[in-house]
Amino acid sequence: MLIVIGRAQAAPGRREEFVTAARAVTDATRGDEGCQSYGFYADLSDENTIVGVEIWRERADLDAHRGHEHTLTFLEAFPDLVVGEPVVSMHEVP
């Protein structure tokens, strides 16, 4: 199992666009092969900080997800919707 946790700061005035894009990729991704859980959440101490949590059956499933149209569309929009670099960590769980 692979757990991916990401954290990004929504760009000023772009939070709602970020949320819309995140909902679209979430709805599509939850049907991807090997996706066990996928979602975006607001940090309770700062609503502009968005946290993404993904759980994949295996690395190959995550790799396949990265090539899907819905993922590419989200990743294309992402740089304009955030400030700075996102922080992402991956954890393999046996």
Side-chain angles (χ1 to χ4, degrees):
M1 175 179 5
L2 183 66
I3 300 170
V4 181
I5 302 171
R7 185 179 189 87
Q9 185 75 25
R14 311 283 312 259
R15 184 181 187 279
E16 289 308 312
E17 289 175 77
F18 187 110
V19 169
T20 298
R23 282 185 178 142
V25 75
T26 296
D27 290 345
T29 297
R30 287 182 175 164
D32 285 355
E33 180 72 26
C35 178
Q36 296 180 340
S37 181
Y38 190 96
F40 291 89
Y41 310 92
D43 183 321
L44 294 178
S45 64
D46 177 5
E47 71 177 14
N48 287 319
T49 298
I50 307 296
V51 178
V53 179
E54 310 171 32
I55 302 175
W56 295 93
R57 180 182 54 209
E58 59 189 23
R59 180 62 186 239
D61 297 323
L62 172 61
D63 292 344
H65 158 72
R66 289 180 172 167
H68 292 157
E69 183 72 27
H70 53 268
T71 306
L72 296 173
T73 298
F74 177 73
L75 292 176
E76 183 178 312
F78 186 80
D80 293 333
L81 301 176
V82 299
V83 175
E85 291 293 319
V87 175
V88 179
S89 61
M90 290 190 200
H91 310 275
E92 291 197 46
V93 179

